[in-house]
Amino acid sequence: MATLEVRSLTKWYGPVLGIEGVSFALERGEIFGYLGPNGAGKTTTIRCIMGLIRPGGGEVLALGEPVVSGRATRHQRMGYLPGEFRLWPGVRAGRSLRVLASLGGGDGARARRLQLAERLELDLDRPVGQLSKGNRQKVAVIYAFQHQPELLILDEPTNGLDPLVRQTVLDLIREAAQQGATVLLSSHDLSEVGAVCGRAAILRAGHLVEMGPISKLVQRGEHRLKVWFLDGALEPPVPLGRLPGVRVIEQQPGLLHLAYPGACDAVLRWVAQFPVDRIATPQTSLEEAFIQYYKTAPPPAAAAGAEPAPKGNP
Amino acid sequence: MSHRVPFPFALLRFWSRRLLPMWAFVGLVIFLMQIAVCAIVHDNASVKNFLNFLDVLPAFIKTALGGEMLQAGNVPGLILIGYQHPLVLFLYMLFAVGVPTTLLTGEVQKGTMELILSRSATKTQVYVCASMLTLAGMFALVLVMFLGTVAATRLYDFGQPIPLDLFFRIAVNGGLVAGAAGSIALLAAGVLAGRNGAVGVTVAVLVLDYFAWIVAQWWPSLGFLKPAALFYYARSPELAHGWPLGDMSVLLLVILACTILGGVVWQRRDLPL
């Protein structure tokens, strides 16, 4: 049984589309990346999952129970980190966290809270209004993790954190998953999604345009080829007309850096005509793949429903 | 299988503690106001000067403070000035408008409602917490007002027995009027998106209601407006003889209707998180 299942979720804000036909399922212990630019519908999806807004269609099953808007479905066992985390400015961070933890029992949350504060080097005795942006984000991380939830919904969890703390947060996410928690990680930082997630989905203008293992998503983008020619060799002009989709990233005396889609056969055959010193195939990053999806993905109307969500994909 | 969400007493406690300073301040001023009014009323010379001063002012001011009940020798009528003094009414309105709009629309605008609702607390439970604090707070303030009168009767000699049972009935009935004002604010906070909008609408309704009552008393041809004004029920003629059950039922109905309607809309609408 999936820990989190989203089925054909749709939400319109009056005439404006939030999301349409979004479906995916997360298994126990999985870290799932949820990618998309601003306004793509990530936060709308997350708020529907948390029952904070009422979807226009579709349904969400959290920990096996259908989510009903405003009914706090399974919230006792869920951790949530909103994209914009705001607390009562005059109240001490520790007290705010204690109050929120106690909405839902909060048994054992104190010990975990103190442990997390120590690990993130955060003083919980200071009023939230006096904390820096980064420290407020640490409070947000503690808020999401303090009651050891089984399902974590994290919207930009490392926003505003320095690289060291960011690593600690990513470690926390990995540890939670190792202990069996399921994590939905919405992020703009593709490197962190690539670092911790097994699978990811890409959202564009409210529609899911791609979903699958990170390695597969990366492969579906452009590939790279760097060719160093032997000294004194002629710099061959690239016959772009004969190599569809190929583009030149960099061309210097003795060096050619190409990007190509799909199979490398045609490119290699052309390169083999020249005296080659060595070649390299730089790894395409998730970020590059992401940009490619946005350049090449079909318009949202065509993409809607074109990507049936694979269920139980590890 | 649906799991029942336990009532969020932690939220109720947290909000109570945050409201306590405001409630205590309003309560203290209302309490002292009753003592001050009784201090004036127990001195005949001061009463005569005060009534002479009122006669110089436009008639509606005397009407607002008690009308024909304000006679030298009518001590209960004079003590009642403290129950309908504009400062006291303003403080009640401040609390009635401030509490639900702070707790509901205020938390939404601050962004903290998203956190509250992402924990184990349903929207209805959150609304119930705000309703309990508004209605109980308003009712408690009216009882503080009555306690001010009780304390004043111990401090001053009025030369005649003060019918505290009458004041108790007036206070309980006044508590319902105050609760009705609070329920209008709850309805506004449950329905409207912004805090300023909710405050504005509630204040406008209560001010219009108050002036409708004043005008209806002052201008006999507009007397038909009286039953439409909440403040009319605060001075039910039946209070002198016993509990005005009919008027109290009307007030209870207003409280229930506004509170439930606000709760239904609050539950059904998407909050502007």
Side-chain angles (χ1 to χ4, degrees):
Chain A
M1 185 184 71
T3 305
L4 175 67
E5 198 168 349
V6 174
R7 294 178 186 158
S8 305
L9 202 60
T10 298
K11 174 73 184 173
W12 287 82
Y13 298 99
V16 180
L17 174 66
I19 48 171
E20 190 170 42
V22 170
S23 298
F24 56 83
L26 275 62
E27 297 299 319
R28 187 173 184 271
E30 181 179 5
I31 307 176
F32 184 81
Y34 202 52
L35 302 170
N38 293 334
K42 301 190 300 294
T43 301
T44 297
T45 311
I46 284 174
R47 284 180 172 163
C48 286
I49 291 170
M50 293 303 298
L52 297 170
I53 53 175
R54 191 183 297 267
E59 71 169 342
V60 177
L61 275 92
L63 297 159
E65 190 176 333
V67 170
V68 182
S69 167
R71 295 273 178 86
T73 313
R74 299 284 195 188
H75 282 188
Q76 212 160 346
R77 292 162 59 189
M78 288 169 76
Y80 174 54
L81 194 155
E84 215 175 311
F85 183 79
R86 287 174 292 173
L87 274 174
W88 302 277
V91 181
R92 280 172 298 145
R95 189 180 168 214
S96 298
L97 289 169
R98 193 174 67 235
V99 169
L100 290 166
S102 55
L103 291 174
D107 302 333
R110 185 175 183 272
R112 177 76 173 146
R113 182 163 60 242
L114 296 176
Q115 189 189 48
L116 287 167
E118 197 180 326
R119 199 161 159 189
L120 294 166
E121 297 178 3
L122 177 69
D123 179 6
L124 291 176
D125 289 328
R126 291 180 63 192
V128 175
Q130 291 178 14
L131 296 176
S132 65
K133 190 184 175 200
N135 280 337
R136 281 202 301 273
Q137 190 63 15
K138 290 180 187 176
V139 178
V141 171
I142 297 175
Y143 165 67
F145 283 84
Q146 65 177 342
H147 52 286
Q148 295 179 292
E150 292 166 54
L151 175 58
L152 276 154
I153 309 293
L154 309 175
D155 195 355
E156 306 283 348
T158 58
N159 194 12
L161 295 177
D162 67 54
L164 287 175
V165 181
R166 185 179 290 226
Q167 273 312 312
T168 309
V169 173
L170 295 182
D171 288 344
L172 283 172
I173 293 172
R174 285 191 199 97
E175 288 163 22
Q178 279 163 12
Q179 287 162 17
T182 305
V183 184
L184 175 78
L185 172 64
S186 160
S187 178
H188 287 299
D189 190 332
L190 304 171
S191 63
E192 81 183 19
V193 170
V196 296
C197 297
R199 280 197 310 148
I202 297 178
L203 202 62
R204 183 192 188 198
H207 296 86
L208 217 54
V209 292
E210 190 60 79
M211 180 162 60
I214 295 287
S215 55
K216 214 172 162 188
L217 291 183
V218 169
Q219 278 168 14
R220 283 189 209 172
E222 277 183 336
H223 304 283
R224 300 289 173 87
L225 179 68
K226 264 188 170 179
V227 185
W228 285 268
F229 297 99
L230 286 171
D231 285 346
L234 283 172
E235 287 169 38
V238 183
L240 296 176
R242 282 199 290 127
L243 300 170
V246 171
R247 65 186 178 93
V248 177
I249 297 171
E250 189 186 2
Q251 189 161 21
Q252 291 177 27
L255 168 68
L256 184 60
H257 189 180
L258 296 172
Y260 62 94
C264 63
D265 184 59
V267 178
L268 285 180
R269 279 178 194 279
W270 174 75
V271 167
Q273 300 171 48
F274 305 97
V276 173
D277 180 19
R278 60 195 164 94
I279 62 168
T281 52
Q283 190 69 40
T284 311
S285 68
L286 181 59
E287 189 162 348
E288 286 160 340
F290 181 77
I291 291 165
Q292 282 305 307
Y293 277 112
Y294 271 83
K295 279 185 179 168
T296 59
E307 284 292 331
K311 283 172 69 176
N313 196 354
Chain B
M1 189 177 69
S2 184
H3 293 256
R4 201 170 153 270
V5 178
F7 190 79
F9 287 106
L11 180 67
L12 194 64
R13 275 196 303 274
F14 178 68
W15 276 353
S16 304
R17 283 180 195 162
R18 285 177 70 78
L19 289 177
L20 195 60
M22 180 193 174
W23 184 89
F25 171 75
V26 171
L28 181 69
V29 174
I30 288 174
F31 183 84
L32 292 176
M33 187 75 191
Q34 304 318 308
I35 305 266
V37 167
C38 289
I40 296 169
V41 166
H42 95 285
D43 177 3
N44 275 333
S46 300
V47 169
K48 279 175 186 160
N49 287 338
F50 176 69
L51 292 177
N52 287 339
F53 176 65
L54 273 185
D55 287 337
V56 175
L57 296 175
F60 73 88
I61 294 178
K62 189 172 180 182
T63 306
L65 291 175
E68 293 312 307
M69 286 173 78
L70 303 181
Q71 302 286 342
N74 182 6
V75 175
L78 291 166
I79 290 176
L80 272 178
I81 290 174
Y83 281 42
Q84 50 215 7
H85 190 280
L87 174 66
V88 173
L89 296 179
F90 171 76
L91 289 170
Y92 277 123
M93 195 184 285
L94 187 74
F95 192 85
V97 173
V99 173
T101 53
T102 300
L103 299 184
L104 296 175
T105 47
E107 297 281 19
V108 170
Q109 282 187 332
K110 270 188 282 186
T112 40
M113 186 59 78
E114 186 173 8
L115 300 181
I116 292 167
L117 293 175
S118 72
R119 298 294 301 131
S120 223
T122 67
K123 269 169 98 174
T124 303
Q125 288 172 336
V126 168
Y127 183 84
V128 168
C129 285
S131 308
M132 285 168 75
L133 291 171
T134 305
L135 299 177
M138 292 298 285
F139 212 90
L141 280 179
V142 177
L143 291 181
V144 165
M145 188 168 71
F146 171 67
L147 286 178
T149 308
V150 174
T153 57
R154 300 285 181 272
L155 286 172
Y156 304 110
D157 178 19
F158 293 91
Q160 57 178 277
I162 303 299
L164 285 177
D165 58 330
L166 167 68
F167 283 100
F168 181 68
R169 285 196 298 274
I170 290 171
V172 171
N173 195 55
L176 289 176
V177 175
S183 69
I184 290 168
L186 272 168
L187 174 61
V191 170
L192 298 170
R195 186 179 180 185
N196 291 346
V199 169
V201 167
T202 311
V203 170
V205 168
L206 294 179
V207 168
L208 278 174
D209 189 86
Y210 182 69
F211 280 102
W213 171 65
I214 296 286
V215 169
Q217 281 199 108
W218 190 46
W219 202 350
S221 60
L222 290 175
F224 66 91
L225 280 177
K226 280 183 188 173
L230 283 181
F231 294 93
Y232 163 78
Y233 299 96
R235 277 203 208 161
S236 175
E238 289 176 47
L239 277 165
H241 316 291
W243 293 99
L245 295 178
D247 291 349
M248 290 171 85
S249 303
V250 171
L251 291 170
L252 264 176
L253 207 65
V254 171
I255 291 172
L256 285 174
C258 290
T259 307
I260 291 171
L261 184 61
V264 169
V265 177
W266 168 263
Q267 165 63 31
R268 293 186 68 82
R269 76 184 175 102
D270 278 345
L271 301 178
L273 297 169

